[in-house]
Amino acid sequence: MEKLYKRGRALYIIEAGLEYLISILVADMYLASLTKELGISDSVTGILSSIISLGCLFQLLAILLNRGRAKTKVIALSIINQLLFMSLYIIPLTSLSSTTKQVTFVVAIILAYLFYNVAHPKKINWFMSLVDDEQRGRFTAKKEAVSLICGVAFNFAMGAIISYYKERDIRVAFIICGVSIFVIMLLHTLSMIFTVEKQDTPSQEPKREKLGLISALKDKSIFSVTIVFVLWQVSTSVATPFYGAYKNNTLALDPIYGISILSAIYAVARASFSFVWGRYADKFSFAKMLKICFAIAGAGFLVNAFCRPENGYVVYTIYYVLYAIAMGGINSALINLCYDYVEPQKRTDALAVSLAISGVCGFLATLAVSPLVSYIQNNNDTLFGIQIYAQQVLSIIAFLMTMLTMLYVSISLAKIKKQQEK
């Protein structure tokens, strides 16, 4: 069986990379190109993006699907999810009315994220069960690095196609993107079909507990892990959603630098440090690694609080590198907290609950600071008579929230660890 598990781990790296390539084609500039072709306004696109950010809420449905084997359900849901993503490039090519296209597009993308998020916790539990506990840090680092490196090359290639056909016939680019998703979907499906699902012996198989949202949160371990998810999501959501407009409008970064070059720098920095964090987490713990990563992320937000048009290229790049280094450990560490602190039979539920609640809280945090952004901008970028940009204030808030998150990890998770060791 060990040979099958080893092959499964290799296929997991491939699966994650292929899934990441599809995610690239339905976000950022690609999504904007689609909505522009459909005549969807920028304001509606913004609302649509906000709705998508709530996709983690759908992960609560994973609790209902937690009984039985994962493989068949995950494969079926993933195929439906990716076919819906592919349909986003087909809808603009149809002869439907403009209104019908817009409505169909919105429904398709919401359903796509629904199916993705329902399957995600169960898929993570399936694949991560193939990884030895003492190897999880290094393995997730390797998986993330492969995805990021492949993503950089893929993003440049597909971005070039969009740019080339933008002034010629954007519909040709849509066909190429749609076909690309279909081909990647076939490869992604095969990677899952040939991945073994770990079978527990009757004596080893943990008794399944029937959990819901409230009962899951009554578990102290799940509650503590969920709070970490929430605090970090709020920390990023009060600032990062507003950085895109800051780069384009206020800092006026060149598009080639602001999108392509910065994305490449981010990927290299994050992939490189993923291995550092992975080895550190395996040696010490994911909680200790998280504290360091949160400190680096907080330093990045603090640096960005001094970012202004006259120093934008330098200061924003420093922030972005620090943020990339931190994210090289944070994403994998958050998921692995469920494996370090939650009982095996509750892990899928814990991940679903944590992602769902943190997604909602992050969305609400973005809405909460939006009036502050409007207030500062409507007052000619002044606050209390001082010339300052809204994103500088948001960066300070993000820094304070990140420090609070680091403090919570230090205090709360340390207590849980002591209780588990007794």
Side-chain angles (χ1 to χ4, degrees):
M1 287 300 291
E2 182 55 37
K3 287 185 177 179
L4 291 177
Y5 295 158
K6 183 177 180 180
R7 187 186 72 183
R9 291 191 290 271
L11 288 171
Y12 183 20
I13 293 174
I14 295 172
E15 180 275 335
L18 292 170
E19 186 176 76
Y20 180 61
L21 298 185
I22 292 179
S23 72
I24 288 175
L25 290 176
V26 292
D28 296 333
M29 59 176 284
Y30 304 98
L31 180 61
S33 297
L34 288 166
T35 55
K36 181 179 180 181
E37 179 68 16
L38 291 170
I40 297 176
S41 66
D42 291 345
S43 60
V44 175
T45 301
I47 295 172
L48 182 60
S49 299
S50 297
I51 293 174
I52 294 171
S53 71
L54 290 173
C56 289
L57 184 62
F58 301 136
Q59 297 198 11
L60 290 177
L61 296 176
I63 295 177
L64 303 177
L65 296 175
N66 205 24
R67 292 182 178 275
R69 311 308 300 179
K71 187 171 182 176
T72 303
K73 295 174 183 177
V74 170
I75 291 174
L77 290 169
S78 296
I79 291 173
I80 295 172
N81 150 245
Q82 291 164 4
L83 285 174
L84 285 166
F85 277 146
M86 185 182 71
S87 73
L88 301 180
Y89 284 97
I90 297 175
I91 292 171
L93 307 178
T94 64
S95 57
L96 299 172
S97 67
S98 178
T99 302
T100 303
K101 287 182 182 180
Q102 293 174 2
V103 172
T104 305
F105 182 88
V106 171
V107 172
I109 198 168
I110 292 176
L111 287 176
Y113 279 100
L114 185 153
F115 286 110
Y116 170 81
N117 283 286
V118 169
H120 187 66
K122 201 165 183 67
K123 187 194 76 173
I124 292 295
N125 199 47
W126 163 25
F127 280 105
M128 288 301 293
S129 69
L130 305 176
V131 183
D132 295 334
D133 285 347
E134 63 272 15
Q135 295 290 324
R136 281 190 278 115
R138 277 166 282 189
F139 177 81
T140 51
K142 185 189 300 183
K143 174 174 66 71
E144 184 170 275
V146 170
S147 295
L148 287 169
I149 293 171
C150 293
V152 170
F154 185 76
N155 203 6
F156 269 104
M158 300 307 294
I161 290 174
I162 292 287
S163 299
Y164 179 80
Y165 286 106
K166 187 176 181 180
E167 303 301 329
R168 293 169 176 81
D169 186 358
I170 193 66
R171 295 162 67 91
V172 176
F174 291 165
I175 293 173
I176 295 173
C177 290
V179 171
S180 297
I181 290 178
F182 183 75
V183 173
I184 296 171
M185 180 196 73
L186 293 178
L187 296 174
H188 181 261
T189 302
L190 288 174
S191 71
M192 291 192 292
I193 289 175
F194 289 106
T195 300
V196 66
E197 185 174 14
K198 193 169 186 178
Q199 302 285 338
D200 294 317
T201 62
S203 60
Q204 293 175 324
E205 186 175 359
K207 184 179 179 182
R208 166 68 187 153
E209 295 185 22
K210 186 177 180 181
L211 291 177
L213 174 60
I214 303 301
S215 57
L217 290 177
K218 286 182 179 179
D219 184 297
K220 291 183 179 180
S221 297
I222 295 178
F223 180 80
S224 296
V225 169
T226 300
I227 294 300
V228 177
F229 274 74
V230 169
L231 289 174
W232 171 242
Q233 188 66 44
V234 171
S235 300
T236 57
S237 296
V238 296
T240 56
F242 302 95
Y243 284 168
Y246 195 51
K247 286 192 300 179
N248 293 331
N249 304 330
T250 306
L251 303 181
L253 301 186
D254 181 87
I256 295 178
Y257 185 84
I259 298 175
S260 300
I261 296 178
L262 275 180
S263 296
I265 292 173
Y266 177 91
V268 171
R270 179 169 171 173
S272 301
F273 275 85
S274 290
F275 292 99
V276 176
W277 299 132
R279 287 192 294 269
Y280 183 89
D282 287 336
K283 185 175 181 180
F284 298 100
S285 74
F286 283 97
K288 289 182 178 179
M289 184 257 276
L290 258 184
K291 289 189 290 185
I292 299 174
C293 290
F294 284 149
I296 295 173
F301 287 127
L302 185 60
V303 166
N304 214 31
F306 296 94
C307 187
R308 302 175 62 83
E310 55 268 27
N311 62 23
Y313 277 91
V314 175
V315 176
Y316 193 86
T317 301
I318 294 173
Y319 148 74
Y320 212 48
V321 170
L322 290 172
Y323 188 71
I325 291 172
M327 289 304 295
I330 290 174
N331 271 10
S332 63
L334 287 175
I335 292 174
N336 277 289
L337 284 183
C338 294
Y339 288 82
D340 282 349
Y341 293 92
V342 179
E343 297 172 30
Q345 66 270 28
K346 298 179 181 179
R347 286 170 178 170
T348 299
D349 291 353
L351 184 59
V353 168
S354 297
L355 289 170
I357 294 178
S358 62
V360 173
C361 291
F363 174 74
L364 294 176
T366 302
L367 291 182
V369 298
S370 293
L372 176 61
V373 174
S374 298
Y375 174 81
I376 296 175
Q377 291 178 339
N378 291 336
N379 284 275
N380 298 318
D381 293 319
T382 61
L383 182 63
F384 306 123
I386 303 173
Q387 206 278 327
I388 192 170
Y389 298 97
Q391 284 79 359
Q392 292 180 287
V393 178
L394 298 183
S395 295
I396 294 174
I397 297 174
F399 163 72
L400 295 174
M401 284 300 306
T402 305
M403 292 301 98
L404 177 62
T405 308
M406 183 179 69
L407 181 63
Y408 181 83
V409 170
S410 300
I411 297 174
S412 180
L413 296 187
K415 287 183 179 179
I416 295 177
K417 200 66 177 178
K418 288 181 180 179
Q419 291 174 355
Q420 291 177 339
E421 291 173 350
K422 288 182 179 179

